[in-house]
Amino acid sequence: MTAKKLLCLGALSGSIWAQTPVLPTIKLEDALERARKYAGQIQSANLALLQAKEDTVQTQAARLPSLNAFNQFIYTQPNGGSSGVFVSNDGVHVYNEQAVVHEELLSLLRQGELKRSLAAQAVLKAKTEIASRGLNATVIQDYYAILSAERRKTNLQTSVAEAERFLDITQKQAKAGEVARADVIKAQIDLRQRQRDLRSEEHTSELQSPCN
């Protein structure tokens, strides 16, 4: 999922690119947080790093001594004599208790596996940080590009509204004989130019919309 798509999910449905200008309700910090949470490359890098950490833990654990214990009680029903019902047993009541401690002494000298695991973990950590920085840069760039485009469109809409009011006032003044007809034509030309600018900006916004 790209950073622009993540920004689209972070804003209200269609609020950024709607006909009525509505600034995005998502903050930059929230956009960065959601990007790190949902971006596929970051998730893959984090999973690989977690796996490398677990490999390191297992490698370190394999170097530790192991302890195996065996506990057993065999009960044979006595028949009143010195031997039990089952003569194959050593006695009527048999208790077995065994413990085995094992440690591979050469593992203390062999550092290759542990160093290899630590090196792999460090490499994956660096890759995760690089991916996170790249994603942050992309999100910040797209965020302010969208915000800048929306504000340009808002300014153009305000400009069109002002031109419409100015044309209306000029027409009324022309009817009253206060201004010349040429002033009305100039106001009409100015309004059409601002309307063209607004349509051009809206078309550009639609092409650059992250939701497309």
Side-chain angles (χ1 to χ4, degrees):
M1 184 178 294
T2 63
K4 288 187 176 181
K5 291 294 184 182
L6 292 168
L7 286 175
C8 176
L9 292 175
L12 292 176
S13 300
S15 63
I16 296 181
W17 305 103
Q19 183 67 27
T20 302
V22 179
L23 293 179
T25 58
I26 183 174
K27 296 181 180 179
L28 178 59
E29 293 78 7
D30 297 332
L32 291 172
E33 181 180 356
R34 297 183 187 187
R36 287 190 290 266
K37 182 177 180 181
Y38 296 109
Q41 63 270 30
I42 298 297
Q43 291 180 345
S44 299
N46 287 333
L47 289 176
L49 179 59
L50 291 175
Q51 183 177 1
K53 289 181 178 180
E54 183 61 27
D55 292 340
T56 302
V57 172
Q58 297 299 328
T59 301
Q60 292 175 334
R63 295 160 51 87
L64 300 176
S66 62
L67 172 63
N68 296 322
F70 174 77
N71 183 279
Q72 183 184 55
F73 167 63
I74 301 177
Y75 175 79
T76 303
Q77 182 179 1
N79 58 2
S82 59
S83 64
V85 175
F86 303 99
V87 296
S88 59
N89 292 337
D90 296 333
V92 178
H93 297 161
V94 179
Y95 298 90
N96 291 322
E97 186 73 33
Q98 300 176 1
V100 178
V101 179
H102 173 76
E103 181 180 8
E104 188 177 354
L105 297 179
L106 293 179
S107 64
L108 299 176
L109 302 177
R110 292 200 300 264
Q111 302 289 332
E113 294 181 359
L114 179 59
K115 291 182 178 179
R116 183 167 57 250
S117 299
L118 292 174
Q121 180 178 338
V123 170
L124 290 174
K125 183 178 181 180
K127 289 183 178 180
T128 302
E129 293 178 354
I130 293 174
S132 179
R133 292 174 184 174
L135 181 64
N136 289 346
T138 302
V139 170
I140 292 173
Q141 180 179 357
D142 292 340
Y143 181 88
Y144 284 108
I146 294 172
L147 195 60
S148 176
E150 181 59 32
R151 288 179 176 175
R152 284 197 305 269
K153 187 170 66 174
T154 301
N155 292 335
L156 287 173
Q157 288 174 335
T158 302
S159 177
V160 169
E162 292 175 351
E164 290 174 345
R165 288 194 298 270
F166 179 75
L167 175 60
D168 181 64
I169 294 174
T170 304
Q171 288 174 337
K172 291 178 180 179
Q173 289 178 336
K175 289 180 180 180
E178 297 178 2
V179 297
R181 177 63 182 171
D183 293 331
V184 176
I185 295 175
K186 290 180 181 179
Q188 291 174 340
I189 293 174
D190 181 64
L191 175 60
R192 293 192 185 99
Q193 180 60 46
R194 297 188 185 192
Q195 288 174 338
R196 282 195 296 268
D197 293 341
L198 177 59
R199 287 193 296 268
S200 177
E201 181 64 29
E202 289 175 343
H203 179 67
T204 302
S205 298
E206 290 177 0
L207 294 178
Q208 296 178 351
S209 172
C211 300
N212 290 336

